[in-house]
Coordinates of all heavy atoms in Angstrom, one line a residue:
R28 N 176.6 94.7 120.7 CA 176.5 94.1 122.0 C 177.3 92.7 122.0 O 178.0 92.4 122.9 CB 175.0 93.8 122.4 CG 174.8 93.3 123.8 CD 173.4 93.4 124.3 NE 173.4 93.4 125.8 CZ 172.4 93.8 126.5 NH1 171.3 94.3 125.9 NH2 172.4 93.7 127.8
A29 N 177.1 92.0 120.9 CA 177.8 90.8 120.7 C 179.3 91.0 120.7 O 180.1 90.3 121.3 CB 177.4 90.0 119.5
G30 N 179.7 92.0 120.0 CA 181.2 92.4 119.9 C 181.8 92.7 121.2 O 182.9 92.4 121.5
A31 N 181.0 93.4 122.0 CA 181.5 93.8 123.4 C 181.7 92.6 124.2 O 182.6 92.6 125.2 CB 180.5 94.8 124.0
L32 N 181.0 91.5 124.0 CA 181.2 90.3 124.8 C 182.4 89.5 124.3 O 182.9 88.7 125.1 CB 180.0 89.4 124.6 CG 178.6 89.9 125.2 CD1 177.5 88.9 124.8 CD2 178.7 90.0 126.7
R33 N 183.0 89.8 123.2 CA 184.1 89.1 122.6 C 185.1 90.1 122.0 O 185.2 90.2 120.8 CB 183.7 88.1 121.6 CG 184.7 87.0 121.3 CD 185.0 86.0 122.4 NE 183.8 85.2 122.7 CZ 183.4 84.1 122.1 NH1 184.1 83.7 121.1 NH2 182.3 83.5 122.5
P34 N 185.8 90.9 122.8 CA 186.6 92.0 122.3 C 187.8 91.5 121.4 O 188.3 92.3 120.7 CB 187.1 92.7 123.6 CG 186.9 91.7 124.7 CD 185.7 90.9 124.3
G35 N 188.1 90.2 121.5 CA 189.3 89.7 120.7 C 188.9 89.3 119.3 O 189.7 88.9 118.5
V36 N 187.6 89.5 119.0 CA 187.1 89.0 117.7 C 186.7 90.3 116.9 O 185.9 91.1 117.4 CB 185.9 88.0 117.8 CG1 185.3 87.7 116.4 CG2 186.4 86.8 118.5
R37 N 187.1 90.4 115.7 CA 186.6 91.4 114.8 C 185.2 91.1 114.3 O 185.0 90.0 113.8 CB 187.5 91.6 113.6 CG 187.1 92.7 112.6 CD 188.1 92.9 111.5 NE 187.7 93.8 110.5 CZ 188.4 94.2 109.4 NH1 189.7 93.8 109.3 NH2 187.9 95.0 108.5
V38 N 184.3 92.0 114.5 CA 182.9 91.8 114.1 C 182.4 92.8 113.1 O 182.6 94.0 113.3 CB 182.0 91.8 115.4 CG1 180.5 91.5 115.0 CG2 182.5 90.9 116.4
E39 N 181.8 92.3 112.0 CA 181.3 93.2 110.9 C 179.9 92.9 110.7 O 179.4 91.8 111.0 CB 182.1 93.0 109.7 CG 183.6 93.3 109.8 CD 183.9 94.7 109.7 OE1 183.0 95.5 109.3 OE2 185.1 95.1 109.9
T40 N 179.2 93.8 110.1 CA 177.8 93.7 109.8 C 177.6 93.9 108.3 O 178.2 94.9 107.7 CB 176.9 94.7 110.5 OG1 177.2 94.5 111.9 CG2 175.4 94.4 110.3
A41 N 176.7 93.1 107.6 CA 176.4 93.4 106.2 C 174.9 93.0 106.0 O 174.3 92.3 106.8 CB 177.3 92.5 105.3
F42 N 174.4 93.5 104.9 CA 173.0 93.3 104.6 C 172.8 92.7 103.2 O 173.5 93.0 102.3 CB 172.2 94.6 104.7 CG 172.2 95.2 106.0 CD1 173.3 96.1 106.4 CD2 171.3 94.9 107.0 CE1 173.3 96.7 107.7 CE2 171.3 95.5 108.3 CZ 172.3 96.4 108.6
L43 N 171.8 91.8 103.1 CA 171.5 91.2 101.8 C 170.8 92.2 100.8 O 171.0 92.2 99.6 CB 170.6 90.0 102.0 CG 171.2 88.7 102.5 CD1 170.1 87.7 102.8 CD2 172.2 88.2 101.5
D44 N 170.0 93.1 101.4 CA 169.2 94.0 100.6 C 168.8 95.3 101.4 O 168.9 95.3 102.6 CB 167.9 93.3 100.2 CG 167.3 93.8 98.9 OD1 167.9 94.8 98.3 OD2 166.3 93.3 98.4
F45 N 168.5 96.3 100.6 CA 168.0 97.6 101.2 C 169.0 98.4 101.9 O 168.9 99.7 101.9 CB 166.8 97.3 102.1 CG 165.7 96.6 101.4 CD1 165.2 95.4 101.9 CD2 165.0 97.2 100.3 CE1 164.2 94.7 101.2 CE2 164.0 96.5 99.7 CZ 163.6 95.2 100.2
N46 N 169.9 97.8 102.7 CA 170.8 98.6 103.5 C 172.3 98.4 103.1 O 172.6 97.4 102.4 CB 170.7 98.2 105.0 CG 169.3 98.4 105.5 OD1 168.5 97.4 105.7 ND2 168.9 99.6 105.7
V47 N 173.1 99.3 103.5 CA 174.6 99.1 103.3 C 175.2 99.0 104.7 O 174.7 99.5 105.7 CB 175.2 100.3 102.5 CG1 174.6 100.3 101.1 CG2 174.8 101.7 103.2
P48 N 176.4 98.3 104.7 CA 177.2 97.8 103.6 C 176.6 96.5 103.1 O 175.9 95.8 103.8 CB 178.6 97.6 104.2 CG 178.3 97.3 105.6 CD 177.1 98.2 106.0
S49 N 176.9 96.2 101.8 CA 176.4 94.9 101.3 C 177.4 93.8 101.7 O 178.5 94.0 102.1 CB 176.4 95.0 99.7 OG 177.8 95.1 99.2
V50 N 177.0 92.6 101.6 CA 177.8 91.4 101.9 C 179.1 91.4 101.0 O 180.2 91.3 101.5 CB 177.1 90.1 101.8 CG1 178.0 88.9 102.1 CG2 175.8 90.1 102.7
A51 N 178.8 91.6 99.7 CA 180.0 91.6 98.8 C 181.0 92.7 99.1 O 182.2 92.5 99.1 CB 179.4 91.8 97.3
G52 N 180.4 93.9 99.5 CA 181.3 95.0 99.8 C 182.2 94.7 101.0 O 183.4 95.0 101.0
V53 N 181.6 94.2 102.0 CA 182.3 93.9 103.3 C 183.4 92.8 103.0 O 184.5 92.9 103.5 CB 181.4 93.4 104.4 CG1 182.2 93.0 105.6 CG2 180.5 94.6 104.8
L54 N 183.0 91.8 102.2 CA 184.0 90.7 101.9 C 185.2 91.2 101.1 O 186.3 90.9 101.4 CB 183.3 89.6 101.1 CG 182.3 88.7 101.9 CD1 181.5 87.8 101.0 CD2 183.0 88.0 103.0
E55 N 184.9 92.1 100.2 CA 186.0 92.8 99.4 C 186.9 93.6 100.4 O 188.2 93.5 100.3 CB 185.5 93.7 98.4 CG 184.8 93.0 97.2 CD 185.8 92.3 96.3 OE1 187.0 92.6 96.4 OE2 185.4 91.6 95.4
R56 N 186.3 94.3 101.3 CA 187.1 95.1 102.3 C 188.0 94.2 103.2 O 189.1 94.5 103.5 CB 186.2 96.0 103.1 CG 186.9 96.8 104.2 CD 186.1 97.9 104.6 NE 184.7 97.6 105.0 CZ 184.3 97.1 106.2 NH1 185.3 96.9 107.1 NH2 183.1 96.8 106.4
L57 N 187.4 93.1 103.6 CA 188.1 92.2 104.5 C 189.3 91.6 103.7 O 190.4 91.4 104.3 CB 187.2 91.1 105.0 CG 186.1 91.5 106.0 CD1 185.2 90.3 106.3 CD2 186.7 92.0 107.3
A58 N 189.1 91.2 102.5 CA 190.2 90.6 101.7 C 191.3 91.7 101.5 O 192.5 91.3 101.6 CB 189.6 90.2 100.3
S59 N 190.9 92.9 101.3 CA 191.9 94.0 101.1 C 192.7 94.2 102.4 O 193.8 94.7 102.4 CB 191.3 95.2 100.6 OG 190.5 95.8 101.5
D60 N 192.1 93.9 103.5 CA 192.7 94.1 104.8 C 193.6 92.9 105.2 O 194.3 92.9 106.2 CB 191.7 94.2 105.9 CG 190.9 95.6 105.9 OD1 191.4 96.5 105.2 OD2 189.9 95.7 106.6

Side-chain angles (χ1 to χ4, degrees):
R28 187 162 203 165
L32 294 174
R33 195 71 62 86
V36 174
R37 179 174 174 178
V38 183
E39 300 280 350
T40 307
F42 298 89
L43 285 173
D44 205 356
F45 302 117
N46 303 104
V47 292
S49 68
V50 179
V53 174
L54 290 172
E55 290 284 352
R56 175 161 51 83
L57 292 174
S59 68
D60 289 346

